[in-house]
Amino acid sequence: MVATAAAGAGGGPRIDGAPMATAADLFVVSGCPHSVGHRPQPCTSLRWTPAGGDDTVRVDGVPVLLDTTAAMCFSAGLVPQGPPLVASVHQGQGVSSR
């Protein structure tokens, strides 16, 4: 599966000119093979949950998504599908997961 920043995202915080993914960004999920009882139940959205507290990395007051940031996948019916297994993060291209 691949989660990509939704259209219009990336206009937020930048560090050295590069856009930073934050907890405020929306991500579109594609290619999720998840199924329940041999019926497709693909993830359609991701919700990221930054740790919070004083040690959270923030840009302009918004938590930045790190490779250690917790997340949960949800189906179209908002049924939790479990956490994504982050394989790699591509700056400006999205998060690859499996």
Side-chain angles (χ1 to χ4, degrees):
M1 113 172 176
V2 176
T4 309
R14 293 178 176 268
I15 294 181
D16 290 335
M20 298 301 302
T22 70
D25 292 330
L26 298 175
F27 289 83
V28 176
V29 176
S30 62
C32 177
H34 187 75
S35 63
V36 176
H38 302 291
R39 292 187 60 186
Q41 284 282 329
C43 297
T44 59
S45 63
L46 288 173
R47 291 186 185 168
W48 300 88
T49 310
D54 294 335
D55 59 346
T56 300
V57 177
R58 297 174 187 269
V59 174
D60 294 337
V62 179
V64 172
L65 300 182
L66 305 172
D67 60 356
T68 57
T69 303
M72 180 65 68
C73 296
F74 290 87
S75 70
L78 298 180
V79 175
Q81 305 287 40
L85 180 60
V86 177
S88 61
V89 177
H90 308 282
Q91 187 64 36
Q93 296 178 356
V95 178
S96 296
S97 183
R98 47 189 165 112

